[in-house]
Amino acid sequence: MSDDQAEVAQEESLFEAPPLAEQERMVEAVLFASADPVSLTDLAARMPHGCEPKAALEQLQKRYEGRGVRVVRVGDNWALRTAPDLGFLMQKETVETRKLSRAAIETLAIISYHQPCTRAEIEEIRGVSVSRGTLDQLMELEWIRFGRRRMSPGRPVTYVVTAQFLDHFGLESARDLPGVKELRAAGLLESRPMPGLDERDEEDDQDDLFEDES
Amino acid sequence: MSDDQAEVAQEESLFEAPPLAEQERMVEAVLFASADPVSLTDLAARMPHGCEPKAALEQLQKRYEGRGVRVVRVGDNWALRTAPDLGFLMQKETVETRKLSRAAIETLAIISYHQPCTRAEIEEIRGVSVSRGTLDQLMELEWIRFGRRRMSPGRPVTYVVTAQFLDHFGLESARDLPGVKELRAAGLLESRPMPGLDERDEEDDQDDLFEDES
Amino acid sequence: MADNDQFDLSDILSVEDRLAAEALIVDVDGFEGPLDLLLQLSRTQKVDLMKISILHLAQQYLIFVEKAKELRIELAADYLVMAAWLAFLKSRLLLPPDPTDEGPSGEELAAHLAFQLQRLEAMRDAAAKLMARDQKGRDFFVRGIPEEVQRLRNVTYTATLLDLMQAYARVRTKDEFRPFVMDREAILSMEQALERMRGLIPFAVDWADLSSYLPEGWELDPKKRRSATAATFAASLELAKQGQIELRQGGTFAPIQIKARRR
């Protein structure tokens, strides 16, 4: 500061301005508490007479270099913001448990009883098409995975259930799942079987079961 | 950190925790981002696995000593607050609060020093009945809340002060209330029944004192 | 106070007395009950509350009340109750102790009153100190631009073995499915429910809501659901009685859960 300037400052203020370190504290507190970014004019107006917010601000900016918080310029105003690389801390993960959709549980049931099982077969049993999303969801849950490709035309991919599936449902193997007869005995199948549609094919399926797992 | 501790930490986490300086940045960012006090548990949950927010927090607290912003403890939580000596800069941010009546202030003081405290006890100390409105006002400010019911005839409700109360008055815990030690030493926080009046239910009041704070 | 009274008073009392009387009116309004008044009066003794003369204080209070009566100031009942009690205390303190009396001594009562006054004063002091503390939003401030915490939802899906089996049964019977036809189609008998449950129990290894044991489709129609719920519940009680299942309920109106009893 030249002598002239010092004299002007002297004239402007009857009181001496606080030391720069103190001014820096002031700028810090104002930027922290303010609901909006603050301009230099605004800072000067709030701080005691004779303060130089610009110098204080620059010093503060240096102090926060490399810290978790930074002094940033927003237009002509100034604000404190968390460092961008720490943005992940501002996210909170919550875990929510939901019931599987009807389509998903039915698809899963068919795969568990008929594995290895192609998508076409699932659709045939369900009588409706199976969306890609449903299978993806079951894959993501790690309850089903790809099995061997079927040695039939087009070599379609098959699905089988996983060890995680067995773990989740408390089964030692998919063989432990009750068969259709037992389901009927249990009252889970209420109506009589259609004549002709006997359960032979189902018994065959049981033998196929877990060819991939063994 | 001693070698033993380092080994334990190693075992606890497959990934190495970030260096303490980095953890300090993270704590800084989280505390800056929140207007409300943050618990150590919350900090740990948001930081990468293996972090030790307590150590980082202590380091951060030291770093902010004498600055325009301070790391303060509120109960079991932590927050950043502007230094009280700079309050004059914040006229813009000042919240005009409704003036509390003398009855409300005294009731608040009695609850904070005697908690958990029944309405009858407040009345006994003040020598006048406490109006419903007084307690309602303090509840609305979220400075008091219901504590456990007293295990005495009639199972009266008790009142205790809240974390918001501590936050508002810049207290770490109710133990830090001004003069609380002296008052206790002088026996003025005891509940002393009138001689001749057999008030058995008052006997275990002292044990209850500050149960919520520990 | 009526104008008439005022006129009478001015006739009888000196100017000084009238001023004192007016001060009294104001003061009684300003006091928060007898204890507050006592505390105020005790200050005129100009000694530490620990050394205060309760006898003197009782005397002061009684004079005050007497004066108020002379001035026909209506005192609230609790002031009069306190006056009566202090008169009693005064007599206890002045008369030699009666050995046949079992009650607390005058000294004990006086000590308690002194304690009450000290405690009230201490709390007033504490209240003043509390309010003089730095306060949030007045002396210190919170972050002005708090950053919202983004919430990331992590959804996990779940299904029970019963869900799986029911789904399979549903799929396998879809072609052949025709609605249950009964004489009274919205009624499930307990026998039917019991038979159905018996078959299901071997697979009920985990706790599952009783509601999941309703026959397929019955939960959709409110009438059917009501009947099926009642029948299934009755059947489950029967099964529990026979020792085949275990029942539990988290609380009143909470879902009832059952599982097979391990043997």
Side-chain angles (χ1 to χ4, degrees):
Chain A
M1 207 188 259
S2 76
D3 281 2
D4 283 4
Q5 279 174 306
E7 252 170 56
V8 171
Q10 206 68 40
E11 271 177 359
E12 273 175 357
S13 170
L14 288 170
F15 309 97
E16 220 166 313
L20 193 59
E22 189 59 20
Q23 294 186 34
E24 190 195 321
R25 285 183 76 226
M26 292 177 184
V27 172
E28 186 177 34
V30 171
L31 291 192
F32 174 85
S34 176
D36 298 299
V38 187
S39 68
L40 282 176
T41 327
D42 201 5
L43 276 172
R46 286 180 179 218
M47 289 161 73
H49 202 68
C51 282
E52 291 176 83
K54 186 149 172 49
L57 189 67
E58 274 164 12
Q59 200 164 305
L60 188 70
Q61 200 168 13
K62 272 203 205 91
R63 190 185 290 272
Y64 275 102
E65 254 167 35
R67 309 285 320 161
V69 175
R70 304 181 317 163
V71 179
V72 296
R73 191 183 178 136
V74 185
D76 284 338
N77 302 328
W78 297 85
L80 284 165
R81 292 269 191 263
T82 51
D85 66 309
L86 298 178
F88 70 94
L89 291 171
M90 307 303 145
Q91 296 172 338
K92 203 174 193 175
E93 290 194 17
T94 53
V95 178
E96 204 177 290
T97 312
R98 281 191 213 160
K99 279 227 149 202
L100 268 191
S101 70
R102 184 179 166 135
I105 189 84
E106 286 182 8
T107 303
L108 182 65
I110 292 166
I111 296 171
S112 62
Y113 275 88
H114 295 266
Q115 65 172 348
C117 180
T118 68
R119 183 163 166 184
E121 285 160 357
I122 299 167
E123 293 183 337
E124 197 187 328
I125 296 170
R126 277 197 77 210
V128 283
S129 66
V130 174
S131 78
R132 183 77 236 168
T134 303
L135 287 166
D136 282 351
Q137 189 191 11
L138 294 172
M139 296 272 256
E140 212 170 284
L141 285 167
E142 298 190 314
W143 283 349
I144 63 167
R145 61 174 179 83
F146 292 123
R148 279 203 302 229
R149 280 184 187 274
R150 193 56 61 76
M151 299 306 267
S152 58
R155 292 180 50 76
V157 70
T158 63
Y159 297 94
V160 293
V161 293
T162 62
Q164 286 95 320
F165 165 88
L166 296 176
D167 192 39
H168 182 94
F169 290 95
L171 294 165
E172 287 200 7
S173 85
R175 279 176 235 269
D176 294 341
L177 282 168
V180 167
K181 264 186 217 151
E182 288 164 293
L183 288 177
R184 181 165 292 122
L188 281 163
L189 298 184
E190 273 165 3
S191 50
R192 310 220 59 77
M194 293 246 288
L197 198 139
D198 59 11
E199 281 146 37
R200 236 172 303 133
D201 34 311
E202 240 150 277
E203 272 152 33
D204 292 345
D205 283 355
Q206 291 291 64
D207 297 337
D208 278 353
L209 223 59
F210 288 103
E211 54 167 10
D212 272 29
E213 299 299 312
S214 49
Chain B
M1 205 189 263
S2 77
D3 281 2
D4 283 6
Q5 280 175 308
E7 253 170 56
V8 173
Q10 205 69 36
E11 272 176 357
E12 275 174 358
S13 170
L14 287 171
F15 309 98
E16 219 166 313
L20 193 60
E22 190 58 20
Q23 292 187 34
E24 192 194 317
R25 284 184 75 226
M26 292 178 186
V27 172
E28 186 178 31
V30 172
L31 292 193
F32 252 90
S34 173
D36 295 318
V38 183
S39 71
L40 279 177
T41 326
D42 203 8
L43 277 170
R46 286 165 74 172
M47 290 162 72
H49 197 71
C51 282
E52 289 174 82
K54 181 133 180 58
L57 194 60
E58 274 164 12
Q59 203 163 303
L60 188 72
Q61 194 171 22
K62 275 202 202 90
R63 188 182 294 272
Y64 275 94
E65 256 165 34
R67 307 288 309 278
V69 173
R70 305 182 311 165
V71 179
V72 298
R73 185 187 182 142
V74 182
D76 285 335
N77 303 329
W78 298 82
L80 281 169
R81 301 284 183 249
T82 61
D85 65 306
L86 300 177
F88 70 94
L89 293 167
M90 250 66 77
Q91 285 105 326
K92 237 181 157 176
E93 281 74 31
T94 303
V95 203
E96 274 306 316
T97 43
R98 196 157 35 132
K99 261 221 151 213
L100 282 181
S101 66
R102 175 174 155 181
I105 294 170
E106 283 184 19
T107 302
L108 179 66
I110 290 167
I111 294 171
S112 61
Y113 283 82
H114 287 85
Q115 66 172 347
C117 184
T118 66
R119 187 163 167 175
E121 286 159 358
I122 301 166
E123 295 181 339
E124 149 85 13
I125 294 171
R126 294 197 67 228
V128 282
S129 62
V130 174
S131 78
R132 182 80 236 172
T134 302
L135 289 166
D136 282 351
Q137 193 188 6
L138 294 173
M139 295 272 248
E140 213 172 281
L141 284 164
E142 296 189 313
W143 284 351
I144 63 167
R145 64 173 175 82
F146 291 122
R148 279 206 301 233
R149 281 183 184 275
R150 189 58 61 75
M151 298 307 270
S152 58
R155 292 180 55 74
V157 300
T158 63
Y159 296 92
V160 294
V161 292
T162 62
Q164 286 95 320
F165 165 85
L166 298 178
D167 188 21
H168 185 91
F169 290 98
L171 292 161
E172 284 196 16
S173 80
R175 284 172 223 274
D176 299 318
L177 283 164
V180 73
K181 271 190 207 128
E182 293 78 356
L183 288 174
R184 182 160 310 133
L188 288 170
L189 299 183
E190 285 163 26
S191 170
R192 233 184 256 178
M194 170 83 102
L197 276 178
D198 189 18
E199 287 185 47
R200 246 163 290 131
D201 40 291
E202 309 257 338
E203 270 165 27
D204 34 25
D205 283 0
Q206 280 310 99
D207 301 336
D208 282 352
L209 213 64
F210 295 105
E211 55 167 7
D212 275 27
E213 296 306 311
S214 53
Chain C
M1 200 174 283
D3 283 1
N4 267 358
D5 291 348
Q6 289 255 312
F7 183 76
D8 287 351
L9 280 174
S10 59
D11 262 1
I12 301 160
L13 301 166
S14 68
V15 173
E16 215 170 83
D17 282 342
R18 266 188 291 125
L19 283 175
E22 275 165 24
L24 196 64
I25 297 164
V26 172
D27 276 353
V28 170
D29 279 348
F31 288 129
E32 293 209 47
L35 205 57
D36 186 28
L37 173 56
L38 276 169
L39 189 58
Q40 211 62 34
L41 289 172
S42 70
R43 295 215 171 101
T44 63
Q45 290 192 22
K46 296 197 171 84
V47 289
D48 192 291
L49 268 181
M50 311 276 269
K51 296 171 196 147
I52 197 158
S53 159
I54 291 296
L55 183 62
H56 182 54
L57 184 63
Q59 193 62 43
Q60 278 179 294
Y61 186 92
L62 292 172
I63 290 168
F64 180 95
V65 170
E66 213 40 56
K67 221 172 175 186
K69 272 190 193 154
E70 273 170 30
L71 296 171
R72 301 188 201 177
I73 291 167
E74 289 233 8
L75 282 178
D78 49 347
Y79 285 86
L80 302 177
V81 170
M82 178 63 90
W85 187 79
L86 286 173
F88 162 76
L89 175 60
K90 198 178 115 187
S91 67
R92 279 259 164 145
L93 288 170
L94 291 173
L95 296 171
D98 178 354
T100 61
D101 196 343
E102 287 193 356
S105 71
E107 277 72 26
E108 281 170 334
L109 292 173
H112 185 71
L113 180 60
F115 167 73
Q116 280 181 296
L117 291 173
Q118 279 173 42
R119 185 172 61 179
L120 180 60
E121 172 142 288
M123 281 300 109
R124 293 225 163 124
D125 246 34
K129 278 185 198 147
L130 184 66
M131 298 316 279
R133 281 187 72 85
D134 291 329
Q135 291 183 37
K136 189 171 85 175
R138 189 187 77 181
D139 305 294
F140 62 88
F141 296 83
V142 306
R143 176 77 166 131
I145 319 175
E147 284 164 59
E148 292 282 307
V149 173
Q150 253 188 315
R151 291 198 178 267
L152 292 187
R153 269 208 190 151
N154 223 334
V155 180
T156 63
Y157 288 90
T158 176
T160 66
L161 190 57
L162 192 69
D163 292 334
L164 189 76
M165 294 187 308
Q166 284 178 335
Y168 187 62
R170 193 162 59 219
V171 170
R172 291 308 293 180
T173 58
K174 192 152 43 194
D175 298 337
E176 18 178 327
F177 183 77
R178 62 187 166 81
F180 232 56
V181 183
M182 288 166 57
D183 293 345
R184 291 173 301 167
E185 57 169 38
I187 301 292
L188 185 73
S189 71
M190 188 192 139
E191 285 71 27
Q192 287 171 314
L194 200 53
E195 197 182 330
R196 204 182 120 76
M197 297 271 291
R198 280 217 174 92
L200 284 173
I201 289 315
F203 308 113
V205 286
D206 283 326
W207 286 110
D209 281 7
L210 192 60
S211 59
S212 64
Y213 286 84
L214 303 192
E216 188 59 33
W218 281 62
E219 73 276 15
L220 303 173
D221 177 351
K223 270 192 200 161
K224 282 184 157 185
R225 187 175 62 228
R226 205 175 311 143
S227 167
T229 304
T232 307
F233 177 59
S236 70
L237 290 182
E238 181 59 29
L239 288 170
K241 199 170 129 196
Q242 292 170 8
Q244 298 195 35
I245 61 165
E246 290 176 56
L247 276 166
R248 73 172 183 192
Q249 188 178 27
T252 313
F253 298 122
I256 297 170
Q257 296 186 313
I258 67 165
K259 76 168 192 174
R261 185 155 181 181
R262 290 256 168 94
R263 280 151 208 265

